[in-house]
Each structure stands twice: as structure tokens, then as C-alpha cells.
Amino acid sequence: MQVPPFSLSRQLSDLGQELDAAVLKVLHSGQFVGGLEVTTFEESFAEFIRVPFAVSCNSGTDALILALRALEIGVGDEVITTSFSFFATAEAISAVGALPVFVDVNPDNYLIELDDIEAVITSATKAILPVHLFGCPVDMKRLRQIAEKHHLKIIEDCAQAAGTEWDGEPVGSWGDVGCFSFFPTKNLGAAGDAGAITTKDKLIAQRIRELAVHGMPRRYLHSHLGYNSRLDAIQAAILNLKLSRLNGWVEQRGIIASRYTELLEGVKGIRLPASINSKAGRHSWNQFVIQVHSNNQFSSSNQDNRDCLKSRLEDRGVYTIIYYPIPIHRQPAYMNMTFSKMKLPFTDKLCSEVLSLPIFPEISEKEQVHVADSIKEILSN
Ligand SMILES: *Cc1c(COP(=O)(O)O)cnc(C)c1O
């Protein structure tokens, strides 16, 4: 049996004719940039996140950059974030000229350690940028208290968290802005790059709208240096169709995560991801990430346990991914920054121990059993 880490083929065949029709309709309309599909999507997505405004753009990365720019964060400003995330989280902060300030993660939920935030706040700090990593919600009530106390903005990186909630409210509705990616592997995926920003603030929404179209409040008047970051109508049509299925897919991801937990409970040598008490929030399980303990060496020679498990799983047809092997602050792109030498013990440990098991809404129980049995087999001898 072959189990891919992620697959779209079953979802595409489920959507079938409807998907083809949605794309063809746009293709024959001749309206490719902006238009009805785009405004419909923005309205539906705003409703989904339960905020008054959603502004679409070209990618999750652009969503972060546009949000930072709209909040007037730039050169000389500091933004507190996590180093255990996709590179774009910090790259966006650097792209606007600000300095990312990293704090360690909480070892239980892999998210920004809220206890460590206040210690790194300086007079230059302008915002906190939490990441709802793998679909797991950050405690936004507590984060908001910290932000309010120090008059800081909050930019939520919700790229992996469409459908995630904290305390009954969707992520992306807690901060000043929420930034979403619709890259194909995310919970809501387009057929290419796409993104959106959510906000309750009309002025911020307006600023983002202008920045995304060359800083142009009206035709050929450019009040700011902006970007060309628009959502294509074909992508919007696909997203409109898929948004109506998103809740079902997120529910399915929850069932898959519970099944992995049942199948792998008590297995020695690994640690399962913490689940969220349903009263506290809703995890959307974009990834199911286990930790492979690096002590009690079961691998031969100098290959570490995690990499050894990964390659032995491949021998059994199970394909896993490492999100993320290198913390952001240690990436070569940041080699010359002083923070590149800083110690973030839990972040470093996770990067050497995490392994993401195959997860997508259409994965079958049989496939999950094969994944779990393979892990047990490998770890027991
Ligand atoms: C995917 C991702 C992004 C960037 O989104 P793109 O649409 O790929 O630009 C940003 N942050 C996180 C945490 C992501 O997973």
C-alpha cells in the first residue's frame, strides 16, 4: 500500500463536474481579474470568519505583507513572532523593513510561548504575530490581554488554520488582522496561489485594498507605493465552490486526528500532538505532527531517530514530511542577523524531532491503519 502525505486527486474527483463548470464559466466570461466571483468570495469568506471585511490577494505571504503595511509597521519597528513556522511568517516582517523578534514555542502545543512574550517587548515593539501552526489555535484571549496591556497590534498568521476556532470564535477574527493562505495544501486550497486578509476595521480593509492594487485609491491616482496582489477570478470561483465544503473537510480532519490518536496511543518512542478541549477551541488539523524522541536511540549508526523512522516508513510505502527541519532564525537568509545565534531550546528540539503523518480529508481508515501499524512495527524492533 502507498500512502501519500497529501493528495488532491480524491477531492478533485468528488468535486468533478461542479469544479469544471465553475472554471469554464469564468473562462468564457472573459472577466479574469476581479469581478463577481472575487467579490462573492470576499463576502462569503468574511461571513465564514465572522468579520465585516475580507480582502483577497495573491498569496498568504502577500496577506502578511499587506497587513503589516496597512498597520504602518516598517523600518525601526519590531514584531514578536515564532521561529517554528513556515519561513514566510518572518520573511514578511523583514520584507516591510521591520525586525522579527523570536520567542520560543510551548513544547506541548508547538505554538508561540505566551509566557515569554512580555520579556522581549521594547519601545520599538509594534505588534505580535502569532501563528496558528498546523491548525492549532493560539490562546487568543490571553494573547489579546498581553497586546492590549502594551498597546500592540495583533496580526494572526492563519495560513494553516481556516476553520480553526478559539473560544467559539474563528481565528482571523481575534486580532487586528487575520492572514490566510489558499495554497493548494492548506485547509481551503485554490488551484494555485491565493490569499486573503480578514479584519473588523473598515479603514484597515480599505488600506489593504488600495495597497494590493498599486496603492491606488482611485484609477491612476497612487497615494502609496503598493503591490500588484490580486485574486484571479478563476481561483475565486474554485474557492467559492470549495468554501461551501470547508466545514465538512475540517470535521473530517478532526475524525482522522482522533483515529491516529487512538491507533498510536501508548506507543513508545513517539509523542502525539496535543488535542484541544472542544470547550476551549477547535483544531482544524492541517497537519498531524508527532515527535520522535531523540533519546533511546533505535536507529543504527549516526542517523537520528526521526530521519530513520521517516526512511523506514518510506520502505513501507508511507510518505511523511518534516515541517520544519530548520528554525526560521537559523536559516541561511538570516545568517548575518544577530538573532541567528540565539538559543530557542524547544524550537530547536522540535525541528529535530517532528514528523507529519499523512493527512487529508479523504484519507481512508485502511490507509491510517497501515501508517500506524508501520510505525509500531518499526519502533518495536
Ligand atoms: C503557507 C504559509 C504561509 C504563506 O502562504 P503562501 O500562500 O504560500 O504565500 C505563511 N505562513 C504559514 C504558517 C504558512 O503555512
Side-chain angles (χ1 to χ4, degrees):
M1 188 186 276
Q2 299 280 312
V3 189
F6 171 77
S7 168
L8 274 174
S9 55
R10 293 171 213 177
Q11 187 195 93
L12 292 174
S13 70
D14 281 351
L15 294 169
Q17 289 292 311
E18 262 186 284
L19 186 67
D20 296 355
V23 171
L24 282 174
K25 192 173 154 207
V26 176
L27 206 53
H28 294 296
S29 75
Q31 170 72 269
F32 299 140
V33 178
L36 187 62
E37 292 287 356
V38 173
T39 46
T40 302
F41 176 68
E42 289 182 340
E43 284 164 18
S44 317
F45 195 66
E47 200 174 306
F48 183 82
I49 302 299
R50 289 183 238 145
V51 291
F53 308 102
V55 182
S56 59
C57 65
N58 216 287
S59 68
T61 307
D62 280 6
L64 290 165
I65 292 172
L66 290 164
L68 288 157
R69 282 284 311 274
L71 294 173
E72 297 181 304
I73 292 166
V75 176
D77 298 333
E78 296 178 1
V79 179
I80 298 168
T81 192
T82 163
S83 180
F84 189 56
S85 180
F86 179 56
F87 188 63
T89 301
E91 189 185 28
I93 298 169
S94 300
V96 302
L99 181 72
V101 174
F102 300 105
V103 297
D104 210 351
V105 287
N106 178 295
D108 293 325
N109 61 17
Y110 314 156
L111 305 173
I112 187 166
E113 177 53 80
L114 300 180
D115 290 341
D116 292 354
I117 289 177
E118 289 194 277
V120 299
I121 294 173
T122 71
S123 57
T125 309
K126 288 283 149 43
I128 307 172
L129 201 163
V131 182
H132 306 290
L133 194 72
F134 307 139
C136 187
V138 171
D139 178 344
M140 290 308 294
K141 259 195 166 156
R142 237 193 104 199
L143 187 87
R144 203 143 80 178
Q145 280 167 2
I146 298 168
E148 276 167 10
K149 183 172 158 199
H150 298 276
H151 310 288
L152 302 176
K153 303 285 187 197
I154 299 174
I155 297 146
E156 292 177 78
D157 185 336
C158 308
Q160 302 180 6
T164 296
E165 293 178 0
W166 182 257
D167 196 28
E169 297 297 329
V171 301
S173 72
W174 285 88
D176 294 273
V177 280
C179 301
F180 290 84
S181 165
F182 307 120
F183 185 76
T185 60
K186 313 287 178 168
N187 291 346
L188 176 62
D193 281 309
I197 299 106
T198 52
T199 182
K200 290 179 173 159
D201 188 315
K202 192 175 179 178
L203 188 67
I204 292 174
Q206 188 54 38
R207 273 198 207 141
I208 291 171
R209 228 173 253 297
E210 291 172 15
L211 285 167
V213 190
H214 307 287
M216 185 167 72
R218 57 188 163 84
R219 190 162 285 195
Y220 305 132
L221 175 79
H222 303 272
S223 55
H224 292 90
L225 296 175
Y227 308 86
N228 175 4
S229 186
R230 293 174 293 220
L231 182 65
D232 289 341
I234 289 181
Q235 299 302 347
I238 292 167
L239 290 169
N240 278 325
L241 174 63
K242 289 176 80 168
L243 183 57
S244 63
R245 313 284 181 97
L246 181 57
N247 263 321
W249 287 331
V250 170
E251 235 161 76
Q252 198 54 38
R253 285 176 180 277
I255 293 169
I256 292 161
S258 309
R259 192 179 290 137
Y260 269 139
T261 304
E262 261 168 51
L263 291 168
L264 291 167
E265 197 99 76
V267 173
K268 287 207 175 62
I270 59 170
R271 178 177 177 171
L272 301 178
S275 51
I276 296 290
N277 181 316
S278 61
K279 283 201 196 84
R282 184 200 201 198
H283 195 315
S284 64
W285 296 104
N286 182 250
Q287 297 299 332
F288 188 90
V289 180
I290 64 168
Q291 264 173 273
V292 186
H293 298 313
S294 43
N295 45 356
N296 308 322
Q297 211 70 18
F298 74 91
S299 63
S300 53
S301 73
N302 47 16
Q303 195 183 30
D304 71 34
N305 281 346
R306 189 263 312 274
D307 291 359
C308 176
L309 178 60
K310 185 180 192 319
S311 74
R312 289 214 224 160
L313 281 169
E314 275 169 29
D315 297 338
R316 289 167 171 75
V318 175
Y319 296 89
T320 57
I321 298 185
I322 298 167
Y323 297 112
Y324 295 90
I326 305 171
I328 294 176
H329 72 287
R330 289 192 201 284
Q331 290 290 345
Y334 282 135
M335 199 169 61
N336 296 325
M337 305 295 288
T338 32
F339 63 61
S340 71
K341 307 278 187 306
M342 77 188 295
K343 287 210 160 42
L344 297 171
F346 292 122
T347 299
D348 285 326
K349 186 171 158 67
L350 284 178
C351 287
S352 66
E353 294 194 347
V354 286
L355 191 65
S356 302
L357 304 188
I359 188 165
F360 47 100
E362 302 78 12
I363 193 171
S364 71
E365 183 168 355
K366 246 195 192 138
E367 289 169 317
Q368 284 196 268
V369 169
H370 179 62
V371 174
D373 285 349
S374 304
I375 292 173
K376 288 183 213 168
E377 249 173 63
I378 296 165
L379 293 181
S380 66
N381 55 47

